[in-house]
């Protein structure tokens, strides 16, 4: 089954779904293509197709499509393939998949189908009586606020939107008072942001926890303590190379479960809006099989 997001990378890859279907069919695979006008409708169509006996799901798009796949497949044993043509592609980057290369990504999917692929951990969020899965990271703080601001704008498109939203957010953002319960131990944390990560990067290559492994049975708790605007701007470029980890305001530790609580703070997982804190987050080892 091939699920296609026609708005991946803001429409620049509108034909990627057709190209992926062609590549997979030329390899002798029976491909059912699913397209819908909204993510909610697509999610329902994917779940219905899985109930009728699909053997694998391949998603075409960015981290939002990966998020859909992870939530449809975690715990089922069915494999997820990724054709990454979105803007961020952090999960595909973690897996070493070729970005913006439909034919190359499909070749990886076909190869992995033959050998069973790779088994990863999945993060699990419990909030308001519902469960949400993630493959990359949950973030609540400055980066989530930037996402929230950027998503409220219609223009500009692409990564420039997030850069401008970050600069606007810097003007008003203040450190947040969190209550963090990590593996049962509660602490009060003043922080600019907190992420709970299963993968090294967020936001299209920001390597917040460069040593994170998605199959070690642990999550990486990433905390940035209060910083001035100038200090935050100075640290920010180092995140893309992973050279920020020695900064005294940065704390990283490995955990199995985290509860995050704070007033009026929104969380995002794999770039998708989850809702306001509090959230309960834990890791489920081996919950996700990927075609990579």
């Amino acid at each position: 089954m091939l699920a296609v997001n026609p708005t991946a990378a803001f429409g620049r890859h509108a034909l990627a779904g057709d190209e992926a279907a062609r590549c997979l069919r030329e390899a002798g695979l029976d491909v059912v293509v699913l397209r819908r006008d909204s993510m909610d409708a697509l999610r329902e169509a994917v779940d219905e197709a899985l109930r009728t006996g699909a053997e694998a799901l391949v998603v075409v798009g960015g981290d939002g499509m990966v998020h859909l796949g992870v939530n449809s497949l975690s715990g089922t044993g069915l494999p997820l393939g990724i054709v990454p043509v979105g803007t961020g592609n952090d999960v595909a980057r973690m897996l070493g998949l070729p970005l913006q290369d439909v034919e190359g990504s499909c070749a990886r999917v076909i190869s992995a189908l033959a050998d069973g692929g790779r088994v990863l951990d999945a993060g699990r969020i419990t909030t308001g009586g519902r469960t949400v899965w993630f493959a990359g990271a949950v973030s609540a703080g400055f980066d989530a606020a930037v996402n929230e601001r950027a998503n409220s704008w219609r223009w500009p498109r692409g990564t420039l939107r997030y850069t401008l939203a970050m600069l606007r957010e810097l003007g008003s953002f203040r450190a947040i008072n969190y209550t963090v319960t990590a593996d049962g131990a509660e602490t009060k944390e003043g922080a600019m942001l907190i992420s709970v990560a299963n993968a090294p990067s967020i936001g299209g290559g920001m390597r917040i926890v460069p040593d994170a492994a998605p199959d070690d049975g642990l999550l990486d708790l990433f905390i940035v303590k209060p910083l001035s605007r100038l200090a935050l701007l100075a640290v920010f470029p180092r995140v893309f190379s992973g050279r920020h980890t020695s900064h005294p305001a940065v704390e990283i530790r490995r955990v199995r479960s985290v509860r995050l609580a704070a007033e009026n703070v929104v969380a995002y997982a794999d770039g998708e809006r989850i809702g306001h804190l509090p959230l309960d987050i834990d890791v489920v080892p081996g919950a996700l099989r990927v075609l990579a």
Side-chain angles (χ1 to χ4, degrees):
M1 174 172 49
L2 186 73
V4 181
N5 178 6
T7 64
F10 301 95
R12 292 196 302 273
H13 295 278
L15 300 179
D18 293 334
E19 185 180 352
R22 176 186 58 78
C23 290
L24 296 175
R25 284 170 177 151
E26 286 178 353
L29 299 176
D30 183 12
V31 180
V32 174
V33 179
L34 295 179
R35 287 186 173 92
R36 296 294 186 273
D37 292 335
S38 70
M39 290 294 283
D40 287 341
L42 184 59
R43 187 176 298 108
E44 290 178 5
V46 166
D47 290 345
E48 177 60 29
L50 290 172
R51 284 192 290 270
T52 62
E55 296 180 4
L57 170 64
V58 178
V59 295
V60 182
D63 285 326
M65 285 297 294
V66 174
H67 187 71
L68 182 154
V70 169
N71 277 274
S72 295
L73 297 178
S74 290
T76 69
L78 294 175
L80 172 66
I82 303 169
V83 179
V85 293
T87 302
N89 301 312
D90 284 295
V91 175
R93 187 177 283 105
M94 169 186 74
L95 296 171
L97 297 175
L99 307 182
Q100 315 298 340
D101 178 358
V102 173
E103 189 170 333
S105 298
C106 287
R108 297 288 186 91
V109 167
I110 294 162
S111 175
L113 276 169
D115 63 23
R118 178 181 176 187
V119 175
L120 306 180
D121 306 331
R124 180 172 57 188
I125 304 164
T126 305
T127 176
R130 65 190 177 108
T131 298
V132 181
W133 298 86
F134 66 95
V138 180
S139 289
F142 178 72
D143 55 333
V146 170
N147 250 323
E148 194 87 334
R149 183 182 290 271
N151 289 343
S152 71
W153 294 351
R154 290 183 149 185
W155 185 92
R157 293 185 169 185
T159 55
L160 178 59
R161 176 189 294 183
Y162 295 94
T163 301
L164 292 177
M166 181 190 72
L167 294 174
R168 285 289 301 275
E169 195 64 35
L170 271 174
S172 58
F173 193 82
R174 298 292 183 272
I176 296 166
N177 293 317
Y178 296 89
T179 300
V180 180
T181 308
D183 291 339
E186 181 181 303
T187 58
K188 303 294 185 181
E189 303 278 359
M192 304 300 285
L193 69 91
I194 294 181
S195 292
V196 183
N198 188 47
S201 70
I202 62 173
M206 291 188 287
R207 294 170 54 79
I208 57 169
V209 283
D211 296 326
D215 53 6
D216 62 357
L218 297 168
L219 299 168
D220 284 46
L221 176 61
F222 174 72
I223 300 174
V224 179
K225 301 297 180 70
L227 289 168
S228 69
R229 295 171 196 166
L230 287 177
L232 185 59
L233 279 174
V235 171
F236 182 75
R238 295 161 61 181
V239 175
F240 288 92
S241 62
R243 293 184 297 109
H244 63 292
T245 57
S246 60
H247 193 283
V250 173
E251 177 184 340
I252 299 173
R253 48 190 159 119
R254 293 207 162 115
V255 299
R256 287 184 169 82
S257 66
V258 182
R259 178 176 174 83
L260 296 180
E263 292 291 328
N264 299 317
V265 175
V266 171
Y268 277 70
D270 294 342
E272 298 298 302
R273 194 182 197 272
I274 302 302
H276 285 84
L277 302 186
L279 302 179
D280 290 294
I281 305 161
D282 68 342
V283 61
V284 181
L288 180 66
R289 182 176 295 277
V290 292
L291 296 173

